[in-house]
Amino acid sequence: MKKILVAMFLAVAMVAPAFAVMELDIKAGYIIEPTVTETGPNEYKCTYSQDPSYSVGADLYFYVLDNFGIGVGGSYIFDTDFDGKKWKGIVEDVKSGSTNIYAAVKPILAENGMVDKVYLLGQIGMGITKFSSDYKDYDFSENGLYWGAGLGIEKANIIVELLYSVNYWEHNDDSAWNEGWSYTTRRIAVNLGYRFGF
């Protein structure tokens, strides 16, 4: 997967100088209620909710056509606590967050209506999920696939977006109990930001 990501970023970097129009979107987000689904052997599956969280991020787009942007971006999702009711008595102070780096597309659906732009968002790349608890210093970070899809509007360079995103990750260490276990983190975020045009 790392080779594919490197190829995507190189492709964007090589073709970028050919485009006259580019933009930088800076944003902050509120994540409504993240969930983590744990999947294990023998069809075991359990979903845990987390407290709401916040994120910051930026996307750099180059426009191959007037209404289609392609670029790269990144976001940092602050650590947030797991639901204490499900974890109480097992481990305490359980938190998780992530850093995502991705290739992105931004097709423009409509312009110059009630708002300046209505657009879609597509993101795919690598996520680094952080997990920590007070159980025997059980802190680690794991890489995995990240993707996101959403819808946005722009008015006077102010952008508002609704984004659904997913991180896939596995924890691999020397503990036998981790074998065959995988995790999926799902988030819905409302982003507010500003678009800089160049």
Side-chain angles (χ1 to χ4, degrees):
M1 185 177 74
K2 290 181 181 178
K3 291 181 180 179
I4 294 173
L5 289 173
V6 169
M8 287 191 299
F9 289 125
L10 286 176
V12 171
M14 288 171 49
V15 297
F19 307 125
V21 179
M22 65 179 180
E23 68 179 39
L24 175 66
D25 297 350
I26 304 291
K27 47 199 166 185
Y30 176 75
I31 300 166
I32 298 168
E33 186 175 287
T35 63
V36 177
T37 300
E38 181 181 44
T39 305
N42 303 318
E43 299 183 359
Y44 173 86
K45 183 177 284 190
C46 188
T47 298
Y48 304 97
S49 61
Q50 292 181 258
D51 292 340
S53 184
Y54 298 93
S55 65
V56 291
D59 300 327
L60 179 65
Y61 292 102
F62 303 93
Y63 278 81
V64 292
L65 301 170
D66 288 342
N67 60 355
F68 192 87
I70 183 171
V72 294
S75 64
Y76 176 81
I77 299 169
F78 292 89
D79 293 358
T80 186
D81 292 318
F82 278 69
D83 185 338
K85 292 178 183 177
K86 286 192 175 182
W87 288 90
K88 189 175 181 181
I90 304 172
V91 289
E92 302 294 337
D93 197 25
V94 181
K95 296 183 179 183
S96 180
S98 67
T99 301
N100 303 306
I101 302 169
Y102 49 82
V105 293
K106 184 179 179 179
I108 309 299
L109 298 180
E111 293 184 90
N112 303 321
M114 292 181 62
V115 294
D116 296 340
K117 290 180 184 176
V118 178
Y119 56 89
L120 296 175
L121 290 170
Q123 305 169 346
I124 187 165
M126 182 179 69
I128 304 169
T129 297
K130 300 174 296 173
F131 183 93
S132 65
S133 79
D134 65 351
Y135 178 70
K136 296 181 179 178
D137 297 323
Y138 199 56
D139 301 341
F140 58 85
S141 297
E142 294 293 341
N143 299 342
L145 178 68
Y146 163 85
W147 67 267
L151 177 71
I153 59 173
E154 177 187 327
K155 182 72 174 178
N157 287 34
I158 303 296
I159 56 176
V160 179
E161 299 173 347
L162 181 65
L163 181 70
Y164 174 77
S165 65
V166 180
N167 283 88
Y168 300 98
W169 51 287
E170 296 180 1
H171 179 48
N172 299 307
D173 65 7
D174 296 330
S175 302
W177 67 270
N178 279 311
E179 187 175 349
W181 293 78
S182 61
Y183 303 85
T184 304
T185 303
R186 294 178 173 86
R187 300 179 175 96
I188 297 175
V190 178
N191 295 328
L192 178 65
Y194 190 85
R195 179 186 66 84
F196 298 89
F198 302 97

